[in-house]
Amino acid sequence: MIDRSTVQALESVSTATLSAQLRSRGIENAFLEHLTVGQPGKRMVGEARTLRYTALREDVFAVRGGGMNEQKRVVDTIRPGEVLVIEARGDLGAGTIGDILALRLMRRGGVGVVTDGGARDTPALRELGLPLYFGAPHAAVLGRRHVPMDSDLPITCGGVLVMPGDVLCGDAEGVVVLPAAIAADVARAAVVQEREERYITEQVAKGESLDGLYPMGEAHRKQFEHWSEDGADEVS
């Protein structure tokens, strides 16, 4: 599980900052694309629990799609702090999750849902308050386009590889994926970056030139250190 200090740090920084930190470590493809933000006012930090939907084939759906299928099994075994991440191939022609399963996920301690497919019951999903990122609303059940095939394996969601146990961070802009092995380091560096950017923003607001400020040169670096020591960077 992610330690609490890392979770708190990740909850305090933007996905834009996290994306920049990942890029500095050579990871360019980490922001999930073409997703709608279901709860813009909520942050999401959790470990990935992955679920894969394949394209519909009626004979396979007849065997794997009904009853306690893979979708329901995963939701029913979500652990506290996990985010359900669904690979739906970017197919928006059916829902991939609805309000009842989302409610069950919440009761299990799940902290969010991310799918590059459709979501159904979206008004009710928004009322639940669960962080939700999805391709588009669609009222049809998943059996119109998908087979819930398997879980707990590497998947592609929103054009990004998601490994089981990766750390997913979401805000009003979208979702970024952090490899679990570097999540704590990225979190610490992101907090420092945003502190520096608060200083830079303050100086720009005062009319300072960007020259030597962004990126920060030696003169401003010394001023920034005094600014930090004086507690000017504290956020109430």
Side-chain angles (χ1 to χ4, degrees):
M1 298 293 291
I2 320 167
D3 67 84
R4 186 59 196 159
S5 62
T6 298
V7 171
Q8 290 174 335
L10 292 174
E11 288 175 340
S12 74
V13 297
S14 71
T15 56
T17 299
L18 294 171
S19 294
Q21 286 296 323
L22 288 171
R23 188 172 190 273
S24 73
R25 291 162 174 78
I27 300 175
E28 297 274 8
N29 191 36
F31 187 81
L32 278 64
E33 298 179 346
H34 310 303
L35 299 185
T36 297
V37 182
Q39 299 283 356
K42 292 206 167 183
R43 303 296 299 268
M44 180 187 75
V45 176
E47 294 186 63
R49 182 76 183 278
T50 60
L51 174 62
R52 184 173 72 105
Y53 291 175
T54 62
L56 177 67
R57 206 177 86 185
E58 287 80 0
D59 61 319
V60 177
F61 189 87
V63 175
R64 304 187 68 94
M68 196 65 177
N69 60 27
E70 195 68 7
Q71 177 207 43
K72 295 188 180 89
R73 189 195 68 78
V74 170
V75 167
D76 216 42
T77 57
I78 283 282
R79 294 177 289 267
E82 288 186 331
V83 174
L84 176 61
V85 192
I86 302 172
E87 174 183 334
R89 312 172 315 285
D91 188 330
L92 306 180
T96 58
I97 192 163
D99 61 336
I100 292 176
L101 269 64
L103 177 59
R104 175 59 176 158
L105 181 142
M106 289 180 69
R107 293 295 179 263
R108 291 279 307 170
V111 296
V113 173
V114 180
T115 174
D116 62 358
R120 62 195 303 263
D121 310 314
T122 51
L125 282 170
R126 287 191 171 98
E127 287 182 10
L128 286 177
L130 179 72
L132 170 69
Y133 299 84
F134 62 105
H138 203 293
V141 296
L142 68 86
R144 181 172 184 265
R145 300 298 281 268
H146 306 290
V147 178
M149 185 62 69
D150 43 26
S151 61
D152 302 314
L153 74 172
I155 63 170
T156 299
C157 183
V160 174
L161 173 63
V162 181
M163 303 291 290
D166 279 347
V167 179
L168 270 70
C169 302
D171 61 11
E173 198 153 36
V175 180
V176 68
V177 178
L178 309 182
I182 63 171
D185 178 60
V186 169
R188 287 190 293 268
V191 169
V192 173
Q193 179 183 331
E194 292 209 346
R195 186 180 300 130
E196 292 178 354
E197 290 182 354
R198 284 196 295 274
Y199 166 81
I200 292 168
T201 299
E202 184 177 298
Q203 300 310 305
V204 170
K206 291 177 179 177
E208 287 283 346
S209 168
L210 296 175
D211 187 20
L213 175 62
Y214 189 58
M216 200 184 296
E218 186 61 31
H220 273 291
R221 176 69 57 185
K222 290 180 180 177
Q223 290 184 36
F224 165 71
E225 290 170 359
H226 291 306
W227 181 84
S228 295
E229 289 170 1
D230 292 341
D233 62 320
E234 292 180 2
V235 178
S236 58

